[in-house]
Amino acid sequence: MGHSPWALTAGILGNIISFMVFLAPMSTFYRIYKKRSTEGFQAVPYIVALFSAMLWLYYAFIKTNVLLLIIINSIGCVIEAIYIAVFLAYAHKKARVRAAKIILLLDGGIFSAIVLSTIVLSKGDTRVKVVGWICVGFAVCVFAAPLSIMKLVIATKSVEFMPFNLSFFLTISAVAWFSYGLLIKDLYVMLPNVLGFLFGLAQMILYVIYKKPGGNKKVDEKAVKKNIAVKPAAIDDEQKIMTEEWTNQVKDKMENDNMMPV
């Protein structure tokens, strides 16, 4: 591939950790499969993750000589597509239609528009730069998603909804991909992972501050419900959600919000 051994090492490490992050929601979809219902889970995080992987895959193809980016984002596309297929198979009609519309708009319409416009309106290095900046802009938006969880931790003074292991691996992944981008002199891979590292570090600092020796059993549920941006939409309004169910959904939301291929 023409890269230095250090660049290859960083890229391979980034691939391994990103693969682990892609597999993080497996427990959610096993639960959906067993219950034959998506309950209150949302498809948006997986649709967005698929779009992100598709964007980086397109960038990698026109950039050339970045096989490691092609490998991990190809795997990401397959895994996210499987997640979405499972969701559509078990979702209620209303949730299924809503998810299908977002897929057509984002992964179909917007992605196709980006590909066609960059092919028609730009060439060579200019096309690489345009697609690179689009990837950076979208990655920044995705990396900002954990802000809602950080706000939740501060409001509840509990890290129950912010698993340390996930935050740790996302931070290491950001370091690995930043190092890879630096060593191959790719600004577009470097930039978003600076933000990813800072957010990951901030999450771990919050964990240290709010981690209680005896665990985090007592949580202000009012604060939780007030700070969750997206409440279950696929469940009828009259249905009462038990505290344990709500906690599980918040934890899964944390995993979803933190997913980012590169």
Side-chain angles (χ1 to χ4, degrees), residues 229-242:
V230 181
K231 294 185 180 180
I235 302 178
D236 295 336
D237 292 338
E238 65 273 11
Q239 182 179 359
K240 295 182 180 180
I241 302 174
M242 297 299 290

Side-chain angles (χ1 to χ4, degrees), residues 25 28-29 42-50 80 83-84 256 259:
T28 296
F29 285 91
Q42 302 291 317
V44 174
Y46 313 104
I47 297 171
V48 169
L50 175 60
E80 298 301 335
Y83 289 158
I84 293 170
N256 296 340
M259 291 192 299

Side-chain angles (χ1 to χ4, degrees), residues 5 26 28 82 89 141 146 161 188 239 242:
M26 281 191 67
T28 296
I82 292 172
C141 294
F161 310 120
Y188 309 110
Q239 182 179 359
M242 297 299 290

Side-chain angles (χ1 to χ4, degrees), residues 22 32 119 127 190 199 201 255:
F22 276 130
I32 290 174
I119 289 176
R127 183 183 301 160
M190 288 169 54
F199 277 129
L201 186 62
E255 292 180 353

Side-chain angles (χ1 to χ4, degrees), residues 108-129:
I110 295 179
F111 179 75
S112 298
I114 290 173
V115 172
L116 291 174
S117 61
T118 52
I119 289 176
V120 173
L121 301 177
S122 59
K123 295 180 180 179
D125 290 340
T126 302
R127 183 183 301 160
V128 173
K129 290 178 180 178

